[in-house]
Amino acid sequence: MDRLEAMSIFLTVVETGSLAAASRKLGRSPASVTRAIAQLEESAGVRLIERTTRRFAVTEAGTRHVETYRKMLNELAHLEERSSDANISGTVVVTAPELFGRMRVMPVIESFLALYPETQARLLLMNRVVDLVGEGVDVAIRLADLPDSSMTAIKVGEIRRLTCAAPSYLAHNAPPTNPCELAFHSCIGLNEAGSQELWRYRAGADGRRNRSVRVRCRLTLNSAGAAIDAAERGMGIVRPLSYQVERQMAAGTLVSLLDEYEPKSIPVHLVFQPRPFHGGALRAFIDHAAPLLRQSFGTDLL
């Protein structure tokens, strides 16, 4: 038995309060635990534990050695972890919706590259569903309910569909009290097909039924960021996702409307194709990204 293993056994004995409890926790025989302590005492040249048939007590020298051994084992574990990280290499190709990718995914990728210096990353910002296999993508961030597939998905959060307008717009237009009143308002659309859109809202208090309301869009854009900018300038009512207007809502340049009719939240998933992880980069990225994205939504588990 090497000295590091004996140190670990000694710390377990101290933490559990008895030789018998330590042997049960470690899955070792009481005799092997006793031998480990004796070997460590011989190496240290001091008695670490005073033992009787009924109890044991850590000696003064043993107390000093507890902190020394714990520090040594922690430093060794840290060195092994850094050595393991240094061996991770490879390229990870990630796709995400444009604005979400810029706001939430880029910080994750930047910290991943800093943590694993032998890795590379490609981020494809596209507002469409990407075929992971056909387009050579490793990980997709999907903002939607997912169909059944062979892909592996990890839920990292939820986003809301809001209805917003600037105080300057509401100063001249009475806020709608229900979705039907949107027909009398100037709305800002994200539909390239035309000037009218169907906006879906919750119809019943139970949240299980929805209804679609046709709105008139005097201004239509193909960019969520541009639509939000226009709404801030008082051009009309916009329908963004919650993460897209966090700054504006906090600053008060946009306010939410029709909250009681808000439809159910939209789940956010990390989606990837199960396959061997060449160089460990994909597995490392998923392990790195999932908790950081959950943290960005302000929750540990969703």
Side-chain angles (χ1 to χ4, degrees):
M1 183 182 300
D2 64 34
R3 191 178 179 189
L4 291 174
E5 186 179 8
M7 288 179 189
S8 180
I9 292 173
F10 170 65
L11 292 177
T12 303
V13 170
V14 174
E15 291 165 1
T16 58
S18 75
L19 296 169
S23 66
R24 288 193 297 270
K25 182 174 181 178
L26 296 170
R28 290 176 171 271
S29 68
S32 69
V33 173
T34 301
R35 283 196 302 271
I37 301 299
Q39 175 184 324
L40 201 59
E41 288 177 331
E42 181 180 356
S43 176
V46 293
R47 184 170 290 279
L48 302 174
I49 293 175
E50 293 290 350
R51 296 180 289 277
T52 68
T53 55
R54 294 188 176 181
R55 67 180 195 69
F56 84 95
V58 181
T59 66
E60 183 178 345
T63 301
R64 291 195 302 269
H65 280 70
V66 164
E67 295 306 317
T68 300
Y69 294 158
R70 185 174 287 128
K71 182 178 180 181
M72 291 173 64
L73 292 173
N74 286 340
E75 288 178 351
L76 178 63
H78 182 64
L79 287 173
E80 290 177 343
E81 181 181 344
R82 292 195 63 179
S83 175
S84 176
D85 289 349
N87 292 330
I88 292 175
S89 62
T91 300
V92 180
V93 183
V94 184
T95 184
E98 181 180 2
L99 200 51
F100 187 87
R102 287 166 46 197
M103 296 176 66
R104 296 288 180 91
V105 182
M106 268 304 298
V108 172
I109 287 180
E110 289 170 5
S111 61
F112 172 74
L113 293 176
L115 187 61
Y116 300 104
E118 297 301 316
T119 62
Q120 300 84 40
R122 290 178 59 214
L123 177 59
L124 308 177
L125 300 176
M126 293 184 286
N127 296 321
R128 63 176 177 84
V129 176
V130 175
D131 178 2
L132 270 65
V133 177
E135 299 184 50
V137 173
D138 297 309
V139 185
I141 289 83
R142 297 267 167 86
L143 282 56
D145 290 308
L146 298 179
D148 293 333
S149 74
S150 61
M151 300 290 175
T152 299
I154 300 174
K155 187 177 180 182
V156 294
E158 292 183 344
I159 53 178
R160 298 157 53 204
R161 174 71 72 178
L162 303 180
T163 304
C164 300
S168 59
Y169 175 84
L170 297 174
H172 302 285
N173 300 272
T177 59
N178 66 73
C180 292
E181 294 181 7
L182 289 170
F184 306 104
H185 283 268
S186 295
C187 296
I188 301 172
L190 282 166
N191 177 7
E192 298 180 27
S195 62
Q196 291 194 345
E197 289 190 0
L198 291 175
W199 289 2
R200 180 166 293 187
Y201 290 92
R202 182 164 49 88
D206 57 12
R208 290 194 294 266
R209 293 182 295 111
N210 291 320
R211 62 176 173 178
S212 296
V213 176
R214 189 173 298 278
V215 298
R216 180 173 59 94
C217 299
R218 294 193 64 205
L219 175 63
T220 304
L221 302 103
N222 66 346
S223 163
I228 292 165
D229 291 344
E232 279 192 280
R233 294 191 293 270
M235 292 293 295
I237 297 175
V238 70
R239 198 106 190 284
L241 296 170
S242 53
Y243 74 88
Q244 297 172 333
V245 290
E246 287 176 343
R247 176 183 60 79
Q248 292 85 350
M249 297 286 286
T253 56
L254 288 177
V255 297
S256 63
L257 310 167
L258 303 174
D259 291 345
E260 63 271 33
Y261 297 97
E262 182 183 302
K264 72 172 186 175
S265 297
I266 302 167
V268 181
H269 293 88
L270 277 175
V271 180
F272 57 98
Q273 175 75 13
R275 63 175 178 81
F277 303 127
H278 303 296
L282 177 53
R283 182 74 260 172
F285 178 79
I286 292 167
D287 291 342
H288 180 76
L292 289 182
L293 287 172
R294 284 177 177 144
Q295 183 180 354
S296 76
F297 285 101
T299 185
D300 293 327
L301 180 62
L302 282 164

